[in-house]
Amino acid sequence: MDATAIILAAGEGTRMKSNHCKVSHKILGKPMVQWIVDATIKAGCSRVVVVIGSHADEMRALIDGTYANSATKVECVEQTERLGTGHAVKVALEACGITQGPVVVLNGDLPLITADTVAKFAQTVATGELACTVMTMTPPDPFGYGRIKLGADGQIERIIEQKDCTPEQAATLLECNAGCYAFDGAQLAAHINEIGNDNAQSEYYLPDMLEILKGHGQAVSIFHCDDYRDGLGVNSRIQLAQLTAIARDRINEHWMAEGVTFIDPTQAWIGPDATIGRDTVVWPQTHLIGHVTVGEECQLGPNSRLTDTTVGSGCIIDETIAIEAVIENGVDCGPRAYLRPGTHMLDGSKAGTHVEIKKSTIGEGSKVPHLSYIGDTTMGSGVNVGAGSITCNYDGVHKHKTVIGKDAFIGSDTMMVAPAQIGDGALVAAGSVITEPVPADALGLGRARQVNIEGWAADYRRRLHEDDEA
């Protein structure tokens, strides 16, 4: 679809009481503005223009850093003077040279709008029969929204703001303005300069385009959202929480329909870019943030948080935090495991209780069962790491690597001082400090010799008793 989306994201969002731009606040781990950009891309818009203003550098980082390699052109245009929504659209048109095709104007704080809604909205002006359509909705409580009054011909007669509604209008006009507009690009470009600023704020308001277009004999109508939630915006932290709950419910209902079990859908927080395979069970307080892929027949949670992580099928992820990790099939993690970026758990491996792994490969069937830290390590298959073992990978300046061969056995409380090499089938005695390579099939023993001094403890207690009496 050769349509352009203009996303208005220049506002301060003062009611959020934040040091950050309003549309940068996250819903299920994803900034609001990115929800809307993604919806327009999925809808088939060939170009997306984000109008920024407040916190411009922050906004550029959110857009440019995320969509630099997008097949759809996504660009930022700065509105240096915030002179209203009409002015923002004019800035976008002039900066990008938009003169034709459907132009959809969306607010940057509408994270629940779907790609299907955007696509249908753009199509309303694709034939040239309508110069503009206004997105409308019928929320359960219309208070606070501008009301749509239609004429006998079906065109918009006027938009009546809440403060201007009579009691009768407030009770009978239930069609509400969602604040989004679709324009015939040629008509928009031809008449955008006719918007005036003769108002108390001396600003240029985009809704004035309706009367301008009607004055030129152009047809203006509405596009009604089947789901009113598509038009809900965020102006406060309270609304941010409310829309987060709606997004959570939508997503969880989708995955339940696809064959995923949720023990309590109100306590699982699945991001919009996550996917889950069928027959996986999601326990309470599970969070999937960013690009997370989970296979079939897994157990997720309780109390697990996965960020930008891939999980295979048949895994148990119990009380686990995983960030930018790859977990293959049949892997057992937790409880209370921490998989940091660069962790790769191969098929059938295990990261157990109170285990931290960073930038390491844990071989097929290898186990790090409990109370251990493995960092900057390549581990072969069939390895067993005893409790309390650590790869000492940092010398205060540089990180060093450890290599553990297949079928090695690492005794409990072993310190492997990197760069360390432990050969295939080697055995390292418990309590060792390993500073030299351990050859394949050898025993590595690196601990101080035990010395017993007979009677020393009894003599020590006697002297302590004599000191107390003195």
Side-chain angles (χ1 to χ4, degrees):
M1 178 173 60
D2 190 18
T4 299
I6 297 176
I7 299 173
L8 305 183
E12 184 75 30
T14 54
R15 278 181 282 176
M16 295 293 286
K17 293 183 170 59
S18 175
N19 296 325
H20 303 279
C21 183
K22 177 175 72 170
V23 299
S24 71
H25 287 262
K26 295 179 179 179
I27 287 182
L28 298 178
K30 183 173 185 172
M32 279 191 282
V33 68
Q34 291 181 6
W35 284 70
I36 303 161
V37 171
D38 286 354
T40 61
I41 292 174
K42 291 176 184 176
C45 292
S46 58
R47 191 175 194 179
V48 181
V49 182
V50 182
V51 181
I52 62 174
S54 174
H55 301 85
D57 290 341
E58 180 181 34
M59 288 300 300
R60 280 197 185 89
L62 282 177
I63 300 302
D64 295 344
T66 303
Y67 300 101
N69 298 318
S70 172
T72 300
K73 186 175 183 180
V74 181
E75 56 196 307
C76 290
V77 171
E78 185 171 356
Q79 184 188 19
T80 54
E81 292 183 280
R82 264 83 80 195
L83 300 177
T85 52
H87 178 257
V89 171
K90 179 182 177 182
V91 167
L93 294 178
E94 291 176 349
C96 300
I98 302 166
T99 59
Q100 60 184 358
V103 177
V104 177
V105 181
L106 307 171
N107 290 324
D109 62 354
L110 299 178
L112 301 184
I113 196 165
T114 65
D116 184 61
T117 295
V118 174
K120 290 177 179 177
F121 191 33
Q123 285 296 328
T124 61
V125 294
T127 64
E129 295 179 10
L130 294 173
C132 175
T133 54
V134 179
M135 185 179 292
T136 65
M137 59 182 180
T138 310
D141 181 7
F143 183 83
Y145 290 97
R147 310 300 173 84
I148 304 293
K149 185 177 181 182
L150 298 177
D153 58 359
Q155 292 198 45
I156 296 176
E157 185 174 299
R158 59 185 293 216
I159 300 175
I160 308 171
E161 297 302 325
Q162 174 70 45
K163 65 180 183 300
D164 299 322
C165 282
T166 66
E168 180 183 1
Q169 289 170 332
T172 59
L173 298 179
L174 303 181
E175 193 87 9
C176 296
N177 180 17
C180 300
Y181 303 87
F183 293 99
D184 177 285
Q187 293 295 329
L188 178 63
H191 302 295
I192 189 72
N193 288 324
E194 297 174 34
I195 299 178
N197 65 341
D198 186 15
N199 52 63
Q201 285 74 35
S202 296
E203 292 188 352
Y204 300 86
Y205 295 133
L206 189 61
D208 290 353
M209 279 298 298
L210 303 181
E211 290 300 319
I212 292 171
L213 291 171
K214 287 165 64 178
H216 286 282
Q218 298 295 322
V220 175
S221 190
I222 66 169
F223 169 79
H224 179 78
C225 284
D226 294 332
D227 188 340
Y228 76 91
R229 296 175 298 183
D230 281 21
L232 296 179
V234 174
N235 289 304
S236 68
R237 306 277 183 158
I238 294 171
Q239 290 175 331
L240 182 68
Q242 291 170 341
L243 267 64
T244 296
I246 293 172
R248 174 203 64 204
D249 293 345
R250 274 184 171 182
I251 290 171
N252 293 355
E253 287 167 8
H254 165 78
W255 289 116
M256 285 188 282
E258 293 295 317
V260 177
T261 294
F262 284 76
I263 302 299
D264 183 351
T266 66
Q267 293 195 63
W269 308 87
I270 312 302
D273 299 317
T275 60
I276 310 174
R278 63 174 57 188
D279 292 319
T280 286
V281 178
V282 180
W283 289 80
Q285 294 307 318
T286 293
H287 304 253
L288 305 186
I289 302 168
H291 293 274
V292 175
T293 301
V294 178
E296 298 183 351
E297 301 194 30
C298 294
Q299 296 279 334
L300 300 183
N303 304 322
S304 291
R305 171 163 53 89
L306 311 183
T307 303
D308 296 325
T309 289
T310 298
V311 180
S313 295
C315 296
I316 297 174
I317 311 296
D318 181 11
E319 287 191 74
T320 293
I321 294 175
I323 303 169
E324 298 175 19
V326 175
I327 301 168
E328 295 189 359
N329 302 304
V331 174
D332 191 343
C333 294
R336 293 171 294 283
Y338 181 22
L339 309 184
R340 292 167 57 190
T343 295
H344 188 173
M345 305 288 297
L346 271 62
D347 287 354
S349 59
K350 177 183 178 67
T353 308
H354 297 296
V355 166
E356 179 178 349
I357 301 175
K358 187 271 292 185
K359 202 176 180 180
S360 296
T361 297
I362 307 302
E364 186 173 342
S366 291
K367 295 175 173 57
V368 189
H370 32 222
L371 300 166
S372 295
Y373 168 73
I374 303 296
D376 297 280
T377 296
T378 299
M379 185 183 298
S381 61
V383 174
N384 187 86
V385 178
S389 294
I390 294 174
T391 56
C392 307
N393 58 323
Y394 186 45
D395 63 9
V397 178
H398 301 106
K399 301 290 179 69
H400 300 278
K401 296 184 179 297
T402 294
V403 177
I404 302 174
K406 66 180 182 179
D407 299 320
F409 183 93
I410 310 300
S412 297
D413 196 29
T414 294
M415 305 292 109
M416 292 163 276
V417 181
Q421 290 190 345
I422 298 170
D424 295 349
L427 190 151
V428 177
S432 291
V433 177
I434 300 299
T435 58
E436 301 291 337
V438 180
D441 296 318
L443 169 65
L445 177 63
R447 60 191 181 203
R449 181 169 180 159
Q450 181 174 329
V451 176
N452 297 329
I453 302 176
E454 296 290 340
W456 188 93
D459 183 59
Y460 175 67
R461 288 192 293 271
R462 178 184 57 75
R463 285 186 280 110
L464 286 178
H465 182 67
E466 290 174 350
D467 290 341
D468 287 342
E469 289 182 346

